[in-house]
Amino acid sequence: MELDAFKDQLKLQLENNRFYQKPDLLQSALLMKVNSVVKKIKQSVVTETALAIVASVAFVYFALAYPSFSFRIYFGVFSCVSIAFVFALLALRVKLHRLDDDLSVKQNLIDTHSVTKAYVRHYFRFCMILLPVCLCMAVFVFLFEFISVTPNQSIFTPYMFSHLWLPLIICYCLFSLGMYFFTKLYLQKLYGEHLHLLENLIQELENE
Amino acid sequence: MEEKEFIELITNHQRIIYKVCNLYAQSSTDKEDLFQEITLNAWKGIRNFKGDSLFTTWLYRVALNTALTFKRKENRQRKVDNAVDSLAFPHEQQPEADEQLAAMYKAINELSDIDKALITLYLDDYNYSEMGNVLGITANNVAVKMNRLKKKLKEESEKYLNNQ
C-alpha cells in the first residue's frame, strides 16, 4: 500500500470518529505532576539550590562563631565551596529556564541535550572536587584538633610518613577510585540512556 | 489566556495530542502520562504563543517536543504484535476493512521516532516546508526523508501482508 492511499483511507476513518477527552479530565491534567527528564532536573536544581543556600549560611555562621580555630578554617573552606555551588546551580537554572517547548523539534532536542549534559557534568565535577577538599580538611582537623600538632612540629618525618601519610594516601586512592566509578555508574544509569537517545535523534534529524 | 478558554481550545484540537500519544507511547500508563505532559506543556507555553503560526502547528511542535524527550516508564522495546492496538485510532477501525491498513499501521509503528514525527505531520496534510519548520530542518531534507520513508513503508507493509 502507498502512503498516500493510506492517508486518504485514514481521513475517511477519522471523519467518522469522535473521541474526545472530557474537559474536566483535561483540567485535572493541568494539576498533575510531570515526568520528563528536564522537569525532573529543574526540580532537582531547585532543591539543590535551596539546600546549598542553607548549607552556605550554616557554614558561614560556624566559620565565624566556632570557638576552635581549625574548625573555623574547616567551615570557612566549606562555606566557599557551597557558595560556589550556589552560583553554579543558579547559572544552570538560567539555562534551564531558557528551554522553550515552542522551539523547532531539532533546536529543542539540542537544547535539552546540552542542558542535561551540563547537569551531569556539573554533578560529576562537584563530586570529584569535593573528594580532595574533604580529605585535606579532614587531615587538617585531625592533625590540629585530635593529635594536637603544633605549628613548629614537622608532620613530614619518616615516622609520620609510614604511620599517617602512607595509609592515608592508600585509603584516599581506594576511596576516590570507588567514588569515581560509583558516580559514573550512577549518572549513567540516571541520564546516560536518555542522553544517548537524544544524540541519536539529533543525528537522525541532521542526516539526509 | 484563561484556563477555561485554554481547555476549550485544547478540546477542539485534542486529536493532535491523541495522535502523538498513540504513536509515541505503547502502554496505557505511558499514553496517559504523555497526554498529561503535553497538555501541561501546552498550558505553560500558551503565553508564548504569539499567533505567528497556526495553533495546530504550534500544538504539534509542543506535542512532538514533549514526546521525543519523554522518559518512558516501560521498556523501550517495541512490541510488533501490539502495533495495531497501539496506533492512532485503533478502536474505530473496522476489522474487515483492512489488512492493508493494519499492515501499514504496523510498518509505521516500527519507524524511528523522527520518522514517526514526519509521518504524523504528512498524514495531517502538512507540506514539506511546514514540516521542516516544525522539525527544524530544511524542506529539501524533509523531501529526501519522505521519499525514502514512502518506499520503506510500502516495502514493509507488503512484507507484513505477505507474512499473514
Side-chain angles (χ1 to χ4, degrees), chain A residues 1-3 204, chain B residues 104 107-108 110-120 122 128 131 135 141-157:
Chain A
M1 187 183 211
E2 296 280 352
L3 186 61
E204 198 186 332
Chain B
M104 187 57 106
I108 292 175
E110 286 300 294
L111 294 176
S112 71
D113 285 351
I114 296 296
D115 288 346
K116 279 181 184 172
L118 284 159
I119 291 295
T120 313
Y122 183 78
Y128 290 169
M131 287 161 76
L135 295 174
N141 195 353
V142 174
V144 172
K145 285 179 193 293
M146 280 309 300
N147 281 339
R148 182 178 45 79
L149 264 176
K150 282 179 182 177
K151 235 183 252 174
K152 186 179 175 183
L153 283 174
K154 193 180 173 199
E155 284 168 12
E156 291 297 316
S157 63

Side-chain angles (χ1 to χ4, degrees), chain B residues 10-59:
Chain B
I10 286 288
T11 307
N12 293 334
H13 294 92
Q14 62 179 296
R15 180 160 284 177
I16 290 174
I17 307 181
Y18 267 108
K19 277 183 199 169
V20 172
C21 290
N22 283 324
L23 212 53
Y24 283 93
Q26 303 294 302
S27 72
S28 55
T29 318
D30 272 353
K31 279 180 197 177
E32 276 170 33
D33 286 352
L34 185 55
F35 186 92
Q36 167 199 319
E37 193 137 329
I38 292 171
T39 312
L40 194 56
N41 279 341
W43 170 235
K44 283 182 178 170
I46 194 77
R47 274 162 281 169
N48 303 330
F49 176 60
K50 304 278 189 304
D52 301 336
S53 57
L54 290 173
F55 179 75
T56 47
T57 307
W58 177 81
L59 190 58

Side-chain angles (χ1 to χ4, degrees), chain A residues 156-204:
Chain A
F156 298 107
T157 59
Y159 177 82
M160 287 292 256
F161 179 77
S162 59
H163 285 78
L164 176 71
W165 296 116
L166 192 62
L168 208 66
I169 288 168
I170 292 170
C171 284
Y172 174 71
C173 289
L174 289 176
F175 183 69
S176 302
L177 216 64
M179 274 300 285
Y180 176 85
F181 287 112
F182 172 77
T183 314
K184 277 232 151 175
L185 206 75
Y186 174 73
L187 290 173
Q188 177 65 24
K189 194 166 168 49
L190 278 184
Y191 301 107
E193 196 192 337
H194 190 70
L195 276 171
H196 185 63
L197 175 77
L198 291 175
E199 277 160 21
N200 286 345
L201 290 172
I202 295 165
Q203 186 68 46
E204 198 186 332

Side-chain angles (χ1 to χ4, degrees), chain A residues 1-7 9-11 13-40 100-109 112 189-191 193-194 197-198 200-208, chain B residues 3 6-7 10-11 14-15 18-19 22 33 35-37 39-41 43-44 48 58 61-62 64-66 68-71 73 76 89 92-94 98 100-101 104-105 108 112-115 119 122-123 125 133-138 141 144-146 150 153-154 157-158:
Chain A
M1 187 183 211
E2 296 280 352
L3 186 61
D4 290 310
F6 174 75
K7 185 175 165 180
Q9 290 210 32
L10 199 65
K11 267 187 196 164
Q13 275 198 347
L14 294 183
E15 275 169 21
N16 300 324
N17 296 327
R18 295 279 178 271
F19 65 82
Y20 288 132
Q21 190 77 275
K22 289 175 187 163
D24 55 334
L25 289 175
L26 282 171
Q27 197 159 20
S28 65
L30 303 186
L31 304 170
M32 289 174 174
K33 279 189 174 176
V34 289
N35 187 39
S36 82
V37 169
V38 173
K39 298 288 177 336
K40 283 190 173 164
D100 185 358
D101 284 319
D102 194 18
L103 294 169
S104 73
V105 168
K106 187 178 163 190
Q107 196 53 50
N108 186 272
L109 288 172
T112 307
K189 194 166 168 49
L190 278 184
Y191 301 107
E193 196 192 337
H194 190 70
L197 175 77
L198 291 175
N200 286 345
L201 290 172
I202 295 165
Q203 186 68 46
E204 198 186 332
L205 268 171
E206 281 169 353
N207 285 346
E208 289 221 348
Chain B
E3 197 176 293
F6 172 76
I7 287 170
I10 286 288
T11 307
Q14 62 179 296
R15 180 160 284 177
Y18 267 108
K19 277 183 199 169
N22 283 324
D33 286 352
F35 186 92
Q36 167 199 319
E37 193 137 329
T39 312
L40 194 56
N41 279 341
W43 170 235
K44 283 182 178 170
N48 303 330
W58 177 81
R61 209 177 283 163
V62 173
L64 289 173
N65 280 336
T66 311
L68 286 168
T69 55
F70 178 70
K71 202 174 183 187
K73 282 177 187 161
R76 285 189 57 79
F89 314 106
E92 290 77 14
Q93 203 175 318
Q94 302 299 315
D98 274 342
Q100 277 193 328
L101 271 182
M104 187 57 106
Y105 275 129
I108 292 175
S112 71
D113 285 351
I114 296 296
D115 288 346
I119 291 295
Y122 183 78
L123 292 177
D125 279 336
N133 191 20
V134 171
L135 295 174
I137 54 179
T138 62
N141 195 353
V144 172
K145 285 179 193 293
M146 280 309 300
K150 282 179 182 177
L153 283 174
K154 193 180 173 199
S157 63
E158 276 166 9

